[in-house]
Amino acid sequence: GEDVEQSLFLSVREGDSSVINCTYTDSSSTYLYWYKQEPGAGLQLLTYIFSNMDMKQDQRLTVLLNKKDKHLSLRIADTQTGDSAIYFCAESMKGGSYIPTFGRGTSLIVHP
Amino acid sequence: GAGVSQSPSNKVTEKGKDVELRCDPISGHTALYWYRQRLGQGLEFLIYFQGNSAPDKSGLPSDRFSAERTGESVSTLTIQRTQQEDSAVYLCASSQDLRGELFFGEGSRLTVL
């Protein structure tokens, strides 16, 4: 299987919460990231979490990390149409490599 | 400029031709990465430059692909004898520290006819 796995699509109603999930395989991963890609643009870092943390909150974003299950999630509260984008989960520092490995991305569609 | 700059933004070429894609990283960023994003796919790592160290070329898919970087500045990704399966968006990113926070360019969309 792939090193980083994500579901491909998520559709939510404006104002609801969105939860995007990710699983990774390497327990030595030290940094875990969420990147956002809007149409026609490059990726932008949204938030990251160190592997010694369980949770990180940043305004409408909450990242939860379950190291035992190698599961990472991104919750977006009060989702807006401007949040429609592709969200990529990434891990780095696994096995000492600084090269981030990305998942295939989850397309978030927010409808009125 | 303030961000990572890539050129050309779009390139259409015929099968068998060579192409060069350019990346201008953020000034002062020692690390530079090339990724490939095929339609509907995730990011596929191609090559990584870190300072004056030997590049990590482990992601290059074939010997038709090569990349160079002059010091800590511009990088060029060259694809020789292009094939249709090379059609993709080629993304360049740079980073300042080893935490891995990457700053991406907008990509070069390559279409091989």
Side-chain angles (χ1 to χ4, degrees):
Chain A
E2 295 183 0
D3 291 343
V4 179
E5 293 196 353
Q6 306 176 234
S7 53
L8 295 183
F9 298 99
L10 177 65
S11 178
V12 299
R13 186 172 299 183
E14 191 175 16
D16 287 352
S17 291
S18 309
V19 179
I20 303 171
N21 294 301
C22 168
T23 57
Y24 58 98
T25 57
D26 197 318
S27 57
S28 70
S29 296
T30 304
Y31 302 99
L32 295 136
Y33 311 86
W34 285 104
Y35 282 81
K36 177 182 180 182
Q37 184 181 34
E38 295 182 353
L43 281 71
Q44 281 191 303
L45 180 68
L46 265 186
T47 186
Y48 65 92
I49 190 168
F50 296 118
S51 60
N52 62 358
M53 298 167 66
D54 298 324
M55 184 182 88
K56 181 178 181 182
Q57 188 148 4
D58 183 1
Q59 300 183 346
R60 292 191 297 120
L61 305 178
T62 303
V63 179
L64 294 177
L65 175 60
N66 181 329
K67 274 198 77 173
K68 176 174 170 291
D69 294 337
K70 302 190 192 70
H71 182 267
L72 183 73
S73 68
L74 174 69
R75 178 178 181 269
I76 306 173
D78 186 24
T79 314
Q80 302 297 306
T81 54
D83 295 323
S84 294
I86 302 175
Y87 291 80
F88 290 88
C89 172
E91 61 175 348
S92 123
M93 285 302 292
K94 62 174 182 177
S97 168
Y98 298 114
I99 301 167
T101 301
F102 288 80
R104 294 177 65 183
T106 299
S107 258
L108 175 64
I109 300 163
V110 183
H111 54 90
Chain B
V4 176
S5 176
Q6 291 188 245
S7 62
S9 53
N10 276 288
K11 175 74 176 177
V12 180
T13 191
E14 292 179 348
K15 179 181 170 181
K17 295 282 177 70
D18 297 352
V19 296
E20 275 192 0
L21 307 176
R22 176 189 167 107
C23 173
D24 217 324
I26 293 172
S27 178
H29 282 194
T30 58
L32 187 147
Y33 309 74
W34 283 99
Y35 286 86
R36 177 169 70 177
Q37 186 179 26
R38 288 178 164 144
L39 187 64
Q41 302 295 313
L43 274 67
E44 178 186 0
F45 164 72
L46 296 177
I47 189 168
Y48 163 64
F49 296 90
Q50 172 61 51
N52 293 320
S53 302
D56 182 337
K57 304 180 182 181
S58 60
L60 294 179
S62 78
D63 59 9
R64 295 187 296 104
F65 288 72
S66 62
E68 291 184 349
R69 186 182 186 194
T70 308
E72 293 185 356
S73 61
V74 171
S75 176
T76 303
L77 177 69
T78 302
I79 308 172
Q80 295 179 307
R81 304 181 303 281
T82 51
Q83 303 294 311
Q84 288 183 331
E85 62 263 27
D86 299 335
S87 296
V89 177
Y90 289 82
L91 292 168
C92 175
S94 68
S95 70
Q96 186 176 31
D97 58 49
L98 300 178
R99 189 179 59 186
E101 180 177 351
L102 272 57
F103 294 82
F104 282 84
E106 294 188 356
S108 292
R109 181 177 297 277
L110 174 65
T111 303
V112 182
L113 302 177

